[in-house]
Amino acid sequence: MKKALPVGVENFEDMVKSDYYYVDKTMFIKELLDMKGKVNLFTRPRRFGKTLNLSMLRYFFEDTGNAKKNEQNKELFRGMKIMDAGETYTSRMGKYPVINLTLKSAKQEDFETAYYMIQAELAAEFERHREIIERGKQGLAVKEYEQYISIADEKADQKLVRGSIKLFSQCMRKVTGNNTVVLIDEYDVPLENAYFRGFYDEMVGFIRALLESALKTNDYLQFAVITGCLRISKESIFTGLNHLNIISVLDKKYSEHFGFTEQEVIQMMSYYEVESRFSTMKEWYDGYLFGDTEVYNPWSVIKFLFDLYSDAEAFPHPYWINTSSNDIVKDMIARADRETKGQIEKLLNGGTLDIQVHEEVTYGDMHSSGENLWNFLYFTGYLTKESEYFKESAIFLRARIPNTEVKTIYQTTILNLFRDKIKKEDFRDLYRAMEDGDVEKVRDILNGQLFPTISFYDSAENFYHGFLTGILSQSQDYLVKSNRESGNGRSDIMVKSPSLRGKAFVLEVKVSDSIDDLEDDAEKALRQIQEKKYMEELRTEGYRKIGCYGISFFRKDCEVRSGTGAGLSFAGMKC
C-alpha cells in the first residue's frame, strides 16, 4: 500500500502518525536557528505550506510540560533530515513554551465576528497550556493568574486580549523559566477580509496592538515566526519593530522550504508511478520562482497526484481557485481602465510586464497606482518573477503569469465578470438585427461589446464562443444551445424560439489568423453550416423559419455573414 496523499492535512503530528506522504521540510528548522532572527515574517502565497511548517516548528520546539509527550514529539522527527543536522539543533527540541495561532478563521462578515474568532483562537491556546499554569500558579501574581484564566475562558475584554500574547509569554517565563516561541499563521487574512468587507481600519488597529505587544515590547520572547501573503505596510502594522526580519518570495534565503522543488515533485510522481504525466504537472503547477529556486504549487501538486493515483489519465484542474481568495483579481479586473486591460491581455497571451518592487503596501494602496496593483498580484502568487534587475536605486521585476492553472483563474474570473456585466444590458437590438438579417448591425453590436472586454487569444475559440453565448443567453424570448462542449460535430451555437412557429438561428464561429482573413472566414463559417447540414436538426424539430450566421473574430474585431433556410442568398450563396 502506498502512503496516503495529505490533501488538506496541516497538522504535523497527524501527517506523521497517520503515515501520509510527507515532503521533508525539516531543514527549515536548521536555517531558522542558523539565521538567529528574533521576529521573522515569511510572505508566501496561500496554500504554499505555511501552516504545516508552523505546526512542524511547534512540535519541534515545544516543551509541553509532560516528559512523555515531549518524547512522543521527538519521535515524530525520527528519520527526518533535521535529526542528522547535529546536536546544535536537536538539543533545542522540546525546550520552549510555544503559542501557535492561526488567524484564518477571522475571515468573517463584520468586525465583531472576526474579533470573536481571533479571541477564540487565543482562548484555545491558553486552555491548551492551562495545566502548566495551574501547576505553577504559585509563581504568578494573583492578577496575572486571573487575567490568564479570563482569556482561556473567553471572558477577557478587548483591551486585555490585545496584550494576551505578551501576558502568555510573561506567565510562561515565570512558570517554566524559559522564553516563549510565538508562531502566528496567516496574520494578514483578517486584514484582507476586512478591506473587502469595509471594516479595515478597525481591524488594523486591533492586529497592530496584538502584534506590537507580542513582538515589540515582549521581554519574554524567544523568537517569533509569522506568515502571510503580504507585507502589510511596516508603518501601519509593525510600527517600530526594528528587529523584524522579512523574507519574501524575492529572497534567496529559505527559498526551498515553502512549496515543492522540482526534484521533490519528481520523487513524488515516481513513488506513485505516474511519471508519464510530468509534462502536464509542470505546465499546470510549476512556474514560481522564490529567490532563485523553481517552485511548484504544493496544494495543486498533491490534488493532481490524488486524481492521478486513481486514474493515470486524469485531466488537470485549477485546484487553487477553490482555496485561495480571488477577490484581489476580481476587484482588479472590475476596476481596470483601458491601460490595465491591455496589460492583462498582454500577460494572458504570454507576455511579461516590468514592475518596480514595493514590498511595503496596504490594501488601501492597492488602486493608488498600477505598480501597487501588480505588486499585490506578484506577492499573492498570481504573477511570478521571470527575471529581476536593478535600476535607479530600485528593484524591478519582469513578471509573468506562472502557469496554466493561474491563467485559467484569470480567464474564469474575466468570463464570470463579463457574464455579470451583460446581465445588466439590453440586447433586444441584437436579436432584432438577427431577425432582420442586418449583418452590419449585428457586427457593430458585437464589436461594441468586444472593445471594452479583456480578451485572451491563446484559447481564442473558447473565449469567443463564451463571449457570444453569454450575450445571446440574455434574451427572454429565445433558448440558446451550445454544442461546442459536446464535441458532436454540430454547429457551435443554436438559438431557437420556444414556439416552433417562431424563428431559429444556427451560428458558426471562426477565429481568424489576421484582420485580412475576417471576411473570408465569416463566409467559410456560413458555408460550413450548409455543407455539414447543421440546419437539419432544427428542421427535424419542426422549425421552418431558420437563419444562418457565420461569424469570424480577430482580437477586438468581428465580421458577420448571414443566410436563411428559406433559400434567400447572401454573397451569392444559398444557405
Side-chain angles (χ1 to χ4, degrees):
M1 288 290 293
K2 301 286 189 184
K3 290 179 180 287
L5 282 155
V7 178
V9 180
E10 296 180 322
N11 180 277
F12 182 75
E13 182 180 40
D14 186 21
M15 177 77 72
V16 177
K17 283 190 172 182
S18 299
D19 202 29
Y20 288 104
Y21 187 105
Y22 175 62
V23 177
D24 190 341
K25 296 293 184 179
T26 57
M27 292 304 280
F28 177 39
I29 298 166
K30 179 181 183 299
E31 190 163 0
L32 194 64
L33 292 173
D34 286 344
M35 298 302 293
K36 295 181 171 61
K38 189 73 170 179
V39 180
N40 308 275
L41 171 61
F42 291 91
T43 59
R44 293 293 188 276
R46 305 269 183 249
R47 288 290 190 176
F48 268 72
K50 299 187 296 293
T51 302
L52 181 58
N53 274 348
L54 288 199
S55 179
M56 175 188 70
L57 295 181
R58 171 196 153 188
Y59 283 101
F60 185 87
F61 287 108
E62 185 167 59
D63 177 3
T64 65
N66 181 304
K68 182 179 179 180
K69 179 61 178 172
N70 285 351
E71 284 302 315
Q72 290 173 346
N73 285 352
K74 288 182 181 180
E75 189 64 22
L76 296 175
F77 293 87
R78 178 188 291 272
M80 295 190 181
K81 295 175 183 178
I82 190 62
M83 301 307 287
D84 296 326
E87 177 70 15
T88 301
Y89 308 99
T90 56
S91 64
R92 307 286 287 273
M93 297 180 76
K95 292 299 183 185
Y96 308 102
V98 175
I99 183 167
N100 185 20
L101 296 172
T102 177
L103 303 188
K104 292 178 183 179
S105 60
K107 191 173 183 179
Q108 303 294 332
E109 64 275 8
D110 54 51
F111 176 76
E112 289 72 23
T113 310
Y115 166 76
Y116 172 75
M117 297 305 294
I118 297 173
Q119 181 187 30
E121 287 286 342
L122 285 161
E125 278 297 281
F126 274 60
E127 181 63 32
R128 191 168 69 86
H129 294 82
R130 185 186 288 231
E131 186 176 335
I132 296 174
I133 291 296
E134 294 291 355
R135 286 203 309 263
K137 67 180 180 180
Q138 66 276 6
L140 300 177
V142 173
K143 185 176 181 181
E144 289 172 331
Y145 174 76
E146 290 176 348
Q147 289 179 335
Y148 187 100
I149 297 303
S150 70
I151 294 172
D153 292 341
E154 296 185 28
K155 295 178 179 179
D157 60 22
Q158 188 179 136
K159 183 178 179 180
L160 183 55
V161 171
R162 287 174 177 233
S164 56
I165 298 176
K166 181 178 179 180
L167 173 68
F168 179 94
S169 306
Q170 181 175 321
C171 292
M172 286 296 162
R173 173 62 179 274
K174 289 188 175 183
V175 170
T176 69
N178 292 314
N179 287 343
T180 292
V181 173
V182 174
L183 307 175
I184 302 176
D185 188 32
E186 304 287 18
Y187 89 98
D188 58 336
V189 165
L191 301 169
E192 178 189 342
N193 175 69
Y195 174 76
F196 288 106
R197 296 281 190 174
F199 53 94
Y200 182 68
D201 290 342
E202 199 169 7
M203 183 56 74
V204 165
F206 173 71
I207 296 295
R208 181 198 296 121
L210 183 70
L211 296 183
E212 204 171 88
S213 67
L215 308 174
K216 180 183 176 182
T217 61
N218 189 353
D219 294 331
Y220 314 101
L221 175 69
Q222 182 66 27
F223 66 84
V225 177
I226 310 163
T227 70
C229 275
L230 297 168
R231 174 183 177 177
I232 306 302
S233 178
K234 184 176 179 180
E235 287 72 30
S236 65
I237 297 297
F238 300 109
T239 306
L241 204 60
N242 297 322
H243 57 335
L244 178 65
N245 181 32
I246 300 172
I247 306 99
S248 76
V249 293
L250 288 169
D251 287 277
K252 296 178 182 179
K253 302 183 295 294
Y254 302 98
S255 58
E256 72 275 19
H257 302 310
F258 297 88
F260 294 157
T261 65
E262 184 155 283
Q263 186 58 40
E264 289 167 342
V265 172
I266 290 171
Q267 289 173 353
M268 292 178 76
M269 297 191 77
S270 176
Y271 177 80
Y272 290 102
E273 301 176 358
V274 291
E275 307 99 306
S276 63
R277 300 301 305 278
F278 175 72
S279 60
T280 303
M281 180 75 80
K282 186 175 181 66
E283 174 192 346
W284 272 75
Y285 310 117
D286 186 20
Y288 298 94
L289 199 63
F290 293 173
D292 291 332
T293 303
E294 180 182 355
V295 175
Y296 286 66
N297 183 322
W299 168 258
S300 299
V301 167
I302 290 170
K303 288 285 286 181
F304 189 38
L305 279 173
F306 185 84
D307 290 345
L308 287 176
Y309 190 49
S310 58
D311 177 9
E313 301 302 318
F315 295 117
H317 295 284
Y319 305 104
W320 200 48
I321 197 170
N322 296 319
T323 64
S324 177
S325 170
N326 297 302
D327 288 340
I328 292 174
V329 172
K330 183 177 179 180
D331 195 55
M332 172 203 63
I333 292 170
R335 294 176 180 236
D337 57 20
R338 186 179 300 179
E339 180 182 4
T340 303
K341 288 177 180 176
Q343 291 169 321
I344 296 171
E345 287 179 343
K346 181 180 178 181
L347 290 167
L348 284 169
N349 291 294
T352 60
L353 192 65
D354 284 23
I355 58 174
Q356 183 178 345
V357 176
H358 299 292
E359 291 193 70
E360 294 185 359
V361 291
T362 68
Y363 284 95
D365 294 333
M366 188 191 305
H367 297 287
S368 63
S369 72
E371 294 289 354
N372 282 340
L373 179 59
W374 300 119
N375 271 269
F376 265 76
L377 293 172
Y378 170 65
F379 286 110
T380 52
Y382 293 97
L383 294 175
T384 194
K385 176 182 71 174
E386 182 167 288
S387 60
E388 61 182 295
Y389 57 93
F390 196 72
K391 178 182 176 182
E392 298 176 356
S393 302
I395 299 174
F396 286 80
L397 300 178
R398 186 153 289 135
R400 59 175 172 79
I401 294 174
N403 50 44
T404 300
E405 177 180 46
V406 177
K407 183 182 291 185
T408 301
I409 292 172
Y410 278 100
Q411 292 174 343
T412 301
T413 304
I414 289 166
L415 287 176
N416 287 340
L417 284 171
F418 172 71
R419 293 188 185 105
D420 290 342
K421 171 180 173 289
I422 62 176
K423 286 178 182 178
K424 303 172 185 177
E425 299 195 27
D426 187 343
F427 287 100
R428 281 177 290 187
D429 286 350
L430 174 63
Y431 271 96
R432 278 194 290 267
M434 290 176 63
E435 291 165 352
D436 296 340
D438 188 344
V439 293
E440 291 186 2
K441 183 73 170 177
V442 172
R443 181 194 63 202
D444 291 345
I445 292 172
L446 294 179
N447 278 336
Q449 290 296 320
L450 275 173
F451 186 70
T453 302
I454 298 172
S455 310
F456 38 91
Y457 310 118
D458 65 317
S459 54
E461 288 193 21
N462 285 337
F463 168 73
Y464 290 119
H465 186 269
F467 166 82
L468 195 54
T469 304
I471 288 176
L472 293 171
S473 297
Q474 300 312 303
S475 173
Q476 301 295 316
D477 301 322
Y478 286 93
L479 305 174
V480 177
K481 180 180 180 181
S482 171
N483 290 319
R484 176 175 294 275
E485 289 77 8
S486 63
N488 57 11
R490 299 175 181 174
S491 63
D492 285 334
I493 301 171
M494 286 186 180
V495 181
K496 51 191 179 181
S497 167
S499 169
L500 293 175
R501 293 190 180 94
K503 295 184 178 181
F505 304 95
V506 180
L507 293 89
E508 183 65 24
V509 177
K510 297 288 184 186
V511 178
S512 299
D513 293 329
S514 73
I515 191 73
D516 296 329
D517 295 330
L518 273 175
E519 293 183 5
D520 285 346
D521 286 340
E523 291 176 3
K524 286 178 184 177
L526 189 60
R527 194 175 300 117
Q528 182 175 325
I529 296 173
Q530 179 195 36
E531 291 172 352
K532 296 196 174 183
K533 300 181 179 180
Y534 289 156
M535 300 171 66
E536 291 306 313
E537 180 180 341
L538 291 171
R539 288 197 177 104
T540 300
E541 289 183 36
Y543 288 97
R544 294 296 175 261
K545 301 175 183 178
I546 305 173
C548 308
Y549 281 91
I551 305 176
S552 59
F553 293 94
F554 179 75
R555 297 190 180 272
K556 300 289 187 180
D557 290 284
C558 75
E559 191 58 60
V560 183
R561 293 291 184 268
S562 75
T564 72
L568 298 179
S569 64
F570 183 83
M573 187 201 79
K574 291 186 178 180
C575 182

